[in-house]
Amino acid sequence: MNTIKLGECPFCNSRVTADLETADGMVMAGLPECENGCPVGRVMSPAALTTSMSDAPERLADKWMQACDMLLNPETCPICDEHPVFTAIKADLWFGCPSDGLVKATAGMSLVKLVEEWNTRVAEVEQTKRRQAELEAECAILNRAYWPDRFKDEWD
Ligand SMILES: [Zn+2]
Ligand SMILES: [Zn+2]
């Protein structure tokens, strides 16, 4: 079995390695291991650490780097702009803003997938905020017909 350096640990910057297995022209990395024992095996799904024989191990190292980059740079909270955090609640892992909302990891979900779910949630909230602002502006126009006096100043 062949062990490669996959990249760096996103938690402690130490070396992360993985064993490679080959089958049907594909190379699969085993669970990544940090030399300091950080839980890097949860960072990305094992299925995502697969590539064809011709472009391993560089391609696997790229995938690892991309996953770590996503993990380390999540969207900030759309309400308070704070950096999101991992939180354990009632034996489940959650990620997000402790004040404004969290997303929960389902069984076997990778950390990167959990961050992705959070980023999707943030995008939805941002979109709702934009739509709300648009509608408020629209209502101001629509309501002029009902209360011309109230908006009189804006017309002058
Ligand atoms: Zn580590
Ligand atoms: Zn927040």
Side-chain angles (χ1 to χ4, degrees), residues 63-86:
K63 289 183 175 198
W64 176 255
M65 206 173 69
Q66 279 168 19
C68 292
D69 194 50
M70 181 151 197
L71 182 66
L72 293 176
N73 298 290
E75 297 292 337
T76 54
C77 174
I79 313 291
C80 69
D81 212 29
E82 286 291 321
H83 202 281
V85 292
F86 288 100

Side-chain angles (χ1 to χ4, degrees), residues 47-62:
L49 274 176
T50 302
T51 190
S52 69
M53 219 123 100
S54 54
D55 59 8
E58 294 79 12
R59 184 81 190 96
L60 292 174
D62 278 355

